[in-house]
Amino acid sequence: MGFARACSVALVGVDGVVVEVQADLEPGVAAFTLVGLPDKTLVESRDRVRAAVVNSGAAWPQKKLTVGLSPASVPKAGAGFDLAVAIAVLGAAEVVDPGAIADLVLIGELGLDGRVRPVRGILPAVLAAAEAGHRQVVVPQQCAAEAALVPDVSVLGVRSLRQLIAVLTDGVVPEEEPPDPPGRPDPILAGLLVPGAGLGTGLAPGRPGGDCTDFPDLADVTGQHTARRALEVAAAGGHHLFLSGPPGAGKTMLAERLPWILPPLTRQDSVEVTAVHSVAGILPPGEPLVSRPPYCAPHHSATMQSLVGGGTGVPRPGAVSLAHRGILFLDEAAEFHSRALDALRQPLESGHVVIARAAGVVRLPARFLMVLAANPCPCGRHTLHGSGCECPPSVIRRYQSRLSGPLLDRVDLRVEVEPVTRGDLLGQGGRGESTAVVADRVRAARERAGARFADTPWRLNSEVPGQELRTRWQAAPGALVQAERELERGLLTARGLDRVLRVAWTVADLRGRDRPEALDVAVALELRTGVARGAVSMTGAGT
């Protein structure tokens, strides 16, 4: 009778639980029993592991074999347990030293020929192992760079079970030749990407000043001075933005340029974003760490589950999580289902989403900058003079009411995007500022805010509670008189007043002021209510 154990990790969303894989051999009829709430993929590992062990040159024990996954109450899913199951079985059969594998964390899928195939979610799995006190992990060689992002953890990347057995038995490690000719894509990497799981997520190929210069430049946008300044304020303070205007005015063009004026992700943010993308299966091979803010633009036919997360079994990340620390762009926002849009209200406030399903409750990060774009009516010509809009008033009201008041109340900036004039289109108004120039101002404004919030849990003005802004960081005397007057008239809600104050602080940071003044609050009110007051056109965000 033999017994051995190894460790692996079960992922629940982007959180991991270390699982002890126990193998027990007893005399009796040869059989292989797997217990511990495995899913269908994990149940099939019995055949994969047996074939992989035999094809790796090791003898399969002809005894009664029971493999238990502990804790048994945690659901286990996926093929990432194959490697741990195989090594635990070999330890019980004394092919490898059971003591050497007791605290070893192994993650990887096994092919029938013994090759170790990469799996999704390596980074959050290794993070969970490190938090549990494990310091040695074995992963597929293709995922070793991703696992190495976790500090203080020794990572061993292997290409086959044969190589791992040689390492554990102090033998000669064989060289594994790639099965395909050079230059052809490695079919083993297919397990890292899930087709169609991106939901419109794009990781931009470069940044201004980087190696790649093929990026959307803000200078390509003609006219739209108010919208451009609102875009800059949104990027500097992390404020949500609503762009309303007729078709062809440049709403999508502006939104697509917003990620390029955002600063690069910090190390902590990069790890968070990489973990979500790794679990979702959209982490590009060869790019173990996402360093740029993601950009997620789901189609307006997206369901509520695809936006906030869900699916059968253990819930998967949705668009709000794929856009974590980046941009969630909802084009044609009025065409989205109202239930899907209202489901965004909770993550907009909390920065995370909690999904409850029969298989368990998952908490996923969802700290994103939302950009809504919509036409004023179904035909899009309602705000154009002499355009011939024939939409009845009832249809226009019904169309605009698809964006509920509670959702819009959480949007700090609301801008009417006017049609481009002939002079702007022909370049008579001069070329606008480039992305690099605006990005420098945004970076400087974020540094000012970061210094102000150095010893607090907040980093951006949009994250600070209104109570703190009214007591700890106060505006200049008399600066809020106009905003308070509109609160009394019912034009602003209490939440709206707090958001005006947050935007005013961002405008002050962009202008290099120590605190907001009356003109900064006027700019914030104009960007919040959409009522022209001349403040934005007089000052701009960066002057």
Side-chain angles (χ1 to χ4, degrees):
M1 183 175 65
F3 175 83
R5 64 184 178 89
C7 295
S8 191
V9 179
L11 288 177
V12 183
V14 293
D15 298 320
V17 178
V18 175
V19 173
E20 189 176 90
V21 181
Q22 303 170 342
D24 179 71
L25 284 174
E26 296 181 359
V29 179
F32 189 168
T33 304
L34 184 63
V35 296
L37 285 184
D39 71 340
K40 178 64 175 177
T41 304
L42 186 49
V43 169
E44 294 175 348
S45 69
R46 295 178 299 185
D47 299 319
R48 290 194 301 270
V49 169
R50 181 187 293 110
V53 169
V54 173
N55 290 326
S56 298
W60 182 260
Q62 298 301 316
K63 295 182 180 181
K64 181 182 178 181
L65 172 61
T66 303
V67 174
L69 308 175
S70 179
S73 59
V74 176
K76 291 86 177 176
F81 292 88
D82 289 1
L83 198 58
V85 171
I87 292 301
V89 171
L90 293 175
E94 297 184 351
V95 175
V96 299
D97 182 10
I101 63 172
D103 293 322
L104 191 62
V105 177
L106 303 107
I107 307 167
E109 177 186 346
L110 285 175
L112 299 183
D113 57 355
R115 286 187 297 169
V116 180
R117 304 177 65 93
V119 295
R120 293 176 283 117
I122 288 291
L123 178 58
V126 177
L127 283 170
E131 291 176 359
H134 295 272
R135 293 294 174 260
Q136 289 184 321
V137 297
V138 179
V139 299
Q141 190 178 61
Q142 294 87 346
C143 302
E146 182 181 346
L149 297 173
V150 182
D152 302 325
V153 173
S154 176
V155 177
L156 173 62
V158 294
R159 294 189 66 91
S160 68
L161 179 61
R162 188 181 300 107
Q163 286 184 338
L164 181 56
I165 293 174
V167 172
L168 295 175
T169 58
D170 295 328
V172 179
V173 179
E175 291 290 338
E176 296 291 345
E177 297 294 334
D180 296 313
R184 293 187 59 183
D186 190 349
I188 290 183
L189 297 177
L192 291 177
L193 297 176
V194 178
L199 290 171
T201 298
L203 297 180
R207 296 192 64 86
D211 296 334
C212 180
T213 58
D214 184 17
F215 61 88
D217 197 341
L218 198 57
D220 298 333
V221 179
T222 57
Q224 307 300 356
H225 304 293
T226 300
R228 287 170 59 99
R229 288 162 181 162
L231 207 70
E232 184 176 342
V233 172
H239 305 286
H240 305 303
L241 173 63
F242 176 38
L243 300 173
S244 176
K251 302 185 296 295
T252 303
M253 193 175 184
L254 285 163
E256 289 176 344
R257 281 148 179 79
L258 181 56
W260 305 101
I261 63 178
L262 293 177
L265 298 176
T266 64
R267 175 74 179 190
Q268 179 181 353
D269 292 345
S270 294
V271 171
E272 292 178 2
V273 173
T274 302
V276 175
H277 285 225
S278 179
V279 169
I282 59 174
L283 188 64
E287 187 175 350
L289 185 66
V290 178
S291 59
R292 298 178 297 275
Y295 176 80
C296 188
H299 191 259
H300 60 258
S301 61
T303 63
M304 182 176 66
Q305 289 75 17
S306 66
L307 284 180
V308 300
T312 59
V314 178
R316 294 173 53 83
V320 296
S321 297
L322 299 179
H324 180 59
R325 300 299 180 186
I327 309 298
L328 177 64
F329 177 47
L330 303 183
D331 200 4
E332 303 295 342
E335 300 293 341
F336 281 80
H337 196 282
S338 58
R339 290 181 64 247
L341 291 176
D342 286 338
L344 301 177
R345 287 152 56 177
Q346 185 255 344
L348 284 174
E349 287 289 333
S350 62
H352 64 267
V353 59
V354 178
I355 308 170
R357 296 291 185 270
V361 179
V362 174
R363 185 180 186 272
L364 298 170
R367 179 74 65 182
F368 56 89
L369 195 164
M370 183 179 68
V371 180
L372 302 173
N375 297 326
C377 68
C379 75
R381 300 190 299 270
H382 174 61
T383 57
L384 300 178
H385 299 290
S387 60
C389 174
E390 298 180 355
C391 299
S394 60
V395 173
I396 296 175
R397 286 196 301 270
R398 186 162 54 250
Y399 185 81
Q400 295 178 349
S401 65
R402 294 182 181 179
L403 300 177
S404 66
L407 175 65
L408 290 180
D409 199 35
R410 290 166 168 81
V411 179
D412 298 350
L413 312 174
R414 306 173 190 176
V415 177
E416 291 287 339
V417 182
E418 300 293 338
V420 181
T421 65
R422 177 175 177 270
D424 290 330
L425 192 61
L426 298 179
Q428 297 176 5
R431 185 176 174 86
E433 291 179 317
S434 67
T435 295
V437 173
V438 178
D440 287 340
R441 282 203 302 267
V442 169
R443 176 185 50 77
R446 287 205 174 193
E447 289 176 353
R448 291 180 64 88
R452 185 166 61 249
F453 306 137
D455 298 325
T456 70
W458 313 296
R459 292 185 296 175
L460 299 175
N461 291 317
S462 61
E463 302 173 0
V464 184
Q467 178 66 21
E468 296 290 336
L469 292 178
R470 291 192 298 270
T471 58
R472 186 172 178 179
W473 295 290
Q474 296 183 356
L480 294 176
V481 171
Q482 188 175 7
E484 292 170 351
R485 185 181 302 118
E486 298 204 359
L487 175 66
E488 294 176 353
R489 295 170 58 191
L491 300 178
L492 277 180
T493 63
R495 180 192 288 124
L497 179 62
D498 288 343
R499 293 184 177 274
V500 166
L501 189 53
R502 294 172 183 172
V503 175
W505 269 102
T506 301
V507 175
D509 288 335
L510 285 167
R511 301 177 65 191
R513 297 185 183 275
D514 293 331
R515 57 179 177 173
E517 298 180 354
L519 192 56
D520 302 321
V521 176
V523 172
L525 277 171
E526 179 172 340
L527 292 175
R528 168 74 182 182
T529 62
V531 178
R533 307 165 191 269
V536 175
S537 59
M538 282 169 30
T539 64
T543 60

